[in-house]
Amino acid sequence: MSRLWIKHPLAIFTANQHDGSHGIVIEDGKIVELVAQGKIPTHPIDHVFDARECVVIPGLINSHHHFYQTLTRAWAPVVNTPLFPWLKNLYPVWAKLTPEQLHLATQVALAELVMSGCTFAADHHYLFPQQLTDAIDIQVQAAQMLGIRVMLTRGSMSLGEESGGLPPQHTVQQMDQILLDSERLVQKYHQRDATAMVNIALAPCSPFSVTPEIMRESAAMAERLDVRLHTHLAETLDEEAFCLEMFGMRTVDYLESVGWLNDRTWLAHGIHFNTEEIQRLGGAEVGICHCPHSNMRLASGICPTLDLMRAGANIGLGVDGSASGDASNLILETRQALYLQRLKYGAEKITPELALGWATKGSAKLLGRHQHLGEITVGHQADFAFYKLDELKFSGSHDPIAALLLCGADQAEHVMVGGKWIVKDRQLLHIDIEKLQAEHRKAAKKLLAA
């Protein structure tokens, strides 16, 4: 168990008030010491990594994505549509996914995330056509090849068009099948220790694609198995109208009626809440994943982040699907969150440090891993992203932390997960990117031609 000193970083963002200005000491995959200004490590060091040219931050954490959507980026028929027609056009395409295509799509999404500085990513996979019933198993295998931590959520769709839902009937599953597979996946893959690389959560897709029964049963199972709950909620006004017509209640009332209004739950988007609903969400400590690129792309609206935080809700960030955000780049998503939220709350209240906090400590809390991830502090896992400010766009910048977002950092120089390098000198260590990209491009063309 050798000790590594990540020495004298150009700057360090710890996501807390701790001083690690002269570096971080790691041993056995976790942080054992922060070296303050003018100090040296208190115990002998075996190895030194010179970080003098790097800004070091906790590994970014993506709390909402749809990996499979990397195969349908910038598809012309949906470039200019809002959410509901966007989905109606894409559901039949996605229903044709093969196991091989999902494996490639997952690896492309994760590779892009890792290279942007992401060390832990949550995926919301809810499509299980007959040829793809083992989708989560495929994603586990794909993630293990890259060395990134993942929260894979067993999504579901059970409310098809024939019953008043949005998805085509051939894309939905029966409740018993969903629940049996959900329990199997938790028992097989969910890891509970500090070093966990794979977590499983339960994630019925949305109010317009699942029945209240599957929502209630998923909540009961999540409590029994002690795993987290995830769904889309309050993304668009169309969704709000659907809930009023279908269930006779607004989205938060619906959430409470099915047993989801609690601190086990995190929601994607969370845009269209009124003042009373924000207070209820905060009081229950529900988590909200803000997805700025997707919300702007589909013209869905702006998440009321500060209002939710003041009420007691937790805020994290997600890149959302790569057919609505169209990129899987979390450092750029953090920049977009900074700017979009400034439009709503003003420049003084939305700082680079706040946005980076959402992408690290905030997302870790959404995923239930904040005891071990999301901060640079003693006892936490050694998950870091390193950025150099040596490109032309950074020339003349003065505050290194602010420069990451204001000047537009888009790729990490190095990335470490659990004390192991997975990106070094901008090169992903465990995957042949050129080969993956070539195979993925062929798969994308084949999917749309089918």
Side-chain angles (χ1 to χ4, degrees), residues 17-38:
Q17 301 303 312
H18 298 166
D19 181 11
S21 54
H22 271 205
I24 310 156
V25 179
I26 66 172
E27 182 179 3
D28 194 25
K30 68 180 182 180
I31 302 167
V32 295
E33 184 179 358
L34 296 184
V35 184
Q37 181 72 30

Side-chain angles (χ1 to χ4, degrees), residues 120 149 193-196 199 364-365 367-373:
F120 184 23
R149 302 183 200 272
D193 56 81
T195 63
N199 294 130
K365 194 158 189 179
L367 304 185
R369 295 293 302 275
H370 55 289
Q371 298 298 325
H372 310 290
L373 302 174

Side-chain angles (χ1 to χ4, degrees), residues 21-254:
S21 54
H22 271 205
I24 310 156
V25 179
I26 66 172
E27 182 179 3
D28 194 25
K30 68 180 182 180
I31 302 167
V32 295
E33 184 179 358
L34 296 184
V35 184
Q37 181 72 30
K39 304 292 185 181
I40 62 172
T42 56
H43 296 285
I45 296 298
D46 300 293
H47 305 283
V48 173
F49 178 79
D50 186 349
R52 73 180 68 189
E53 296 182 343
C54 296
V55 179
V56 183
I57 68 172
L60 300 173
I61 298 175
N62 176 35
S63 53
H64 181 70
H65 205 340
H66 306 291
F67 296 160
Y68 71 88
Q69 292 182 11
T70 59
L71 292 162
T72 51
R73 302 195 226 226
W75 187 43
V78 296
V79 166
N80 301 313
T81 59
L83 179 65
F84 274 23
W86 179 86
L87 284 169
K88 293 285 280 185
N89 276 281
L90 281 165
Y91 277 144
V93 176
W94 294 333
K96 296 179 288 186
L97 276 169
T98 67
E100 294 78 13
Q101 288 167 343
L102 177 61
H103 189 276
L104 288 167
T106 299
Q107 288 204 322
V108 163
L110 288 174
E112 190 179 0
L113 283 166
V114 167
M115 293 177 77
S116 77
C118 178
T119 57
F120 184 23
D123 187 57
H124 189 181
H125 189 88
Y126 50 80
L127 280 162
F128 295 84
Q130 289 186 347
Q131 76 278 11
L132 201 61
T133 55
D134 59 347
I136 305 301
D137 304 81
I138 292 167
Q139 291 187 310
V140 171
Q141 296 167 5
Q144 287 173 338
M145 294 177 68
L146 277 90
I148 184 175
R149 302 183 200 272
V150 287
M151 168 74 82
L152 301 174
T153 72
R154 205 302 181 179
S156 55
M157 296 198 295
S158 61
L159 186 69
E161 288 175 316
E162 293 177 5
S163 302
L166 205 64
Q169 205 62 34
H170 66 282
T171 65
V172 303
Q173 289 183 303
Q174 297 300 309
M175 184 167 71
D176 288 349
Q177 184 181 8
I178 293 165
L179 295 174
L180 281 171
D181 192 48
S182 296
E183 183 155 7
R184 176 188 72 84
L185 291 166
V186 173
Q187 301 293 359
K188 184 173 183 178
Y189 294 117
H190 185 66
Q191 300 168 351
R192 300 184 182 274
D193 56 81
T195 63
M197 297 297 292
V198 179
N199 294 130
I200 302 293
L202 308 184
C205 182
S206 62
F208 50 81
S209 60
V210 298
T211 62
E213 289 75 21
I214 194 65
M215 292 289 285
R216 292 190 189 96
E217 291 297 324
S218 295
M221 179 179 286
E223 184 172 1
R224 175 168 59 85
L225 299 179
D226 190 23
V227 295
R228 298 189 72 73
L229 286 167
H230 185 48
T231 193
H232 299 91
L233 198 79
E235 182 177 0
T236 67
L237 292 173
D238 285 343
E239 179 191 330
E240 181 181 301
F242 179 93
C243 286
L244 287 168
E245 181 178 350
M246 189 77 175
F247 309 120
M249 58 185 88
R250 287 172 57 85
T251 54
V252 175
D253 293 325
Y254 174 75

